[in-house]
């Protein structure tokens, strides 16, 4: 079953649909002009059968050119798990993106970017995926999407390698955006997001299909995000199952 779902998400991820605005739990292929900065955070409150964790990253994104991006993520985590309690620095991350394809049309643009995310082992070894593992990991993927003035999609497929751990994973994401207001200048928009995340950790034989429902307010150069993520399918150890995650954050471009 997990293989069929992974293939379906990958196929959909490269289907030509339309995307709108920066996604909340997914990524985007759209980049702003060169020599621009974005400061952002997206706090996650994750509740699982093992316990809970609050993840607060501070992220600085810089675009040297209009088709490249580098970023540094410095995260704080507070966790209360059945086998560990504490707080402090989580795993820091360095991201790079390069846009290698772009096709513009009237009121729409389709783009694809190559992406890498290098996770540094600065956090505690508490084995919390994407938050704090205390182990190095390297992720390599492709993000694609087509944005229009009416609706859209953002998608991603890739592989995360952890040489000294067992959290190697195939990852696929798919996010639909729906703007509720007509386009206007200066920019003011309210967007709804419907986002899916498919994760297969083959070394542990774990699989999760997660769904996020989000809402976003976007102003001229600032956005506010709120989303709730729930599991649709979980083939995972019962004591590690996700109950829900809540995301909220903001981003400012200058």
């Amino acid at each position: 079953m997990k293989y069929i779902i992974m293939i379906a998400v990958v196929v959909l991820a490269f289907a030509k649909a339309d995307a709108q605005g920066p996604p909340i739990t997914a990524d985007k292929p759209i980049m702003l002009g060169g020599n621009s900065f974005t400061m952002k955070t997206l706090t996650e409150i994750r509740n699982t059968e093992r316990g809970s964790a609050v993840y607060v990253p501070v992220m600085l994104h810089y675009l040297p050119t209009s088709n490249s991006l580098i970023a540094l993520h410095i995260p704080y985590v507070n966790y209360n798990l059945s086998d560990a309690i504490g707080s402090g620095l989580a795993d820091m991350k360095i991201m790079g993106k390069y846009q290698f394809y772009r096709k513009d049309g009237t009121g729409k643009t389709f783009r694809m970017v190559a992406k890498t995310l290098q996770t540094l082992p600065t956090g505690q070894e508490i084995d919390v995926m994407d938050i704090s593992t205390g182990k190095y990991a390297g992720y390599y993927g492709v993000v694609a999407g087509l944005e229009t003035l009416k609706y859209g999609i953002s998608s991603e497929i890739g592989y995360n390698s952890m040489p000294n751990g067992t959290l190697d994973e195939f990852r696929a994401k798919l996010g639909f955006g729906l703007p509720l207001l007509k386009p206007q200048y200066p920019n003011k928009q309210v967007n709804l997001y419907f986002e899916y995340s498919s994760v297969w950790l083959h070394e542990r034989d774990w699989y999760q299909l997660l769904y996020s429902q989000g809402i976003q307010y976007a102003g001229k150069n600032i956005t506010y995000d709120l989303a709730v993520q729930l599991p649709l399918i979980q083939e995972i150890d019962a004591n590690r199952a996700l109950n829900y995650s809540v995301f909220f954050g903001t981003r400012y471009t200058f």
Side-chain angles (χ1 to χ4, degrees):
M1 182 66 178
K2 67 177 75 121
Y3 311 107
I4 296 175
I5 294 173
M6 284 290 292
I7 292 171
V9 172
V10 168
V11 171
L12 286 171
F14 284 100
K16 278 198 174 183
D18 305 317
Q20 178 68 38
I24 298 176
T25 63
D27 204 349
K28 62 183 175 69
I30 308 300
M31 298 184 187
L32 303 175
N35 198 30
S36 63
F37 290 88
T38 297
M39 180 71 73
K40 58 185 291 189
T41 185
L42 185 64
T43 296
E44 178 186 1
I45 302 173
R46 185 184 301 182
N47 183 276
T48 71
E49 290 297 315
R50 185 185 173 204
S52 61
V54 180
Y55 179 70
V56 186
V58 175
M59 300 174 275
L60 179 62
H61 291 197
Y62 172 60
L63 281 77
T65 66
S66 60
N67 62 351
S68 63
L69 178 149
I70 55 176
L72 175 64
H73 298 181
I74 303 175
Y76 168 85
V77 63
N78 181 283
Y79 51 92
N80 188 350
L81 308 173
S82 59
D83 54 351
I85 298 175
S87 61
L89 183 66
D91 294 333
M92 294 175 58
K93 299 178 182 180
I94 300 174
M95 182 170 67
K97 293 165 67 175
Y98 178 75
Q99 179 184 287
F100 61 88
Y101 181 80
R102 173 175 179 172
K103 183 176 182 180
D104 296 330
T106 303
K108 62 182 179 180
T109 180
F110 177 74
R111 307 185 193 189
M112 300 179 70
V113 305
K115 172 183 175 180
T116 182
L117 186 67
Q118 302 297 308
T119 299
L120 308 180
T122 55
Q124 295 296 315
E125 294 189 36
I126 57 174
D127 200 46
V128 178
M129 289 186 295
D130 298 324
I131 292 182
S132 187
T133 65
K135 298 181 184 298
Y136 164 79
Y139 172 79
Y140 308 92
V142 175
V143 183
L146 177 68
E147 289 197 358
T148 76
L149 299 176
K150 295 182 178 180
Y151 52 91
I153 188 173
S154 183
S155 58
E156 179 176 346
I157 60 172
Y159 185 77
N160 189 52
S161 174
M162 183 179 287
N164 297 317
T166 58
L167 290 175
D168 285 32
E169 64 176 278
F170 290 96
R171 184 182 304 170
K173 294 186 177 183
L174 187 64
F176 298 91
L178 178 65
L180 301 183
L181 304 179
K182 293 182 179 180
Q184 54 189 291
Y185 183 85
N187 180 53
K188 183 173 71 173
Q189 187 57 261
V190 177
N191 302 312
L192 292 179
Y193 285 97
F194 313 86
E195 299 174 335
Y196 298 85
S197 179
S198 177
V199 179
W200 177 32
L201 292 91
H202 58 92
E203 292 181 297
R204 298 190 182 186
D205 197 26
W206 288 1
Y207 177 76
Q208 288 182 308
L209 178 62
L210 309 177
Y211 171 72
S212 298
Q213 179 66 68
I215 187 169
Q216 175 190 88
Y217 171 80
K220 181 179 180 181
N221 58 354
I222 191 168
T223 64
Y224 300 95
D225 303 310
L226 176 65
V228 176
Q229 186 177 66
L230 300 171
L232 298 179
I233 298 175
Q234 290 197 94
E235 298 176 4
I236 189 172
D237 291 354
N239 63 347
R240 300 298 294 274
L242 174 70
N243 295 323
Y244 64 85
S245 283
V246 176
F247 296 86
F248 58 91
T250 186
R251 69 192 87 189
Y252 177 75
T253 300
F254 55 97

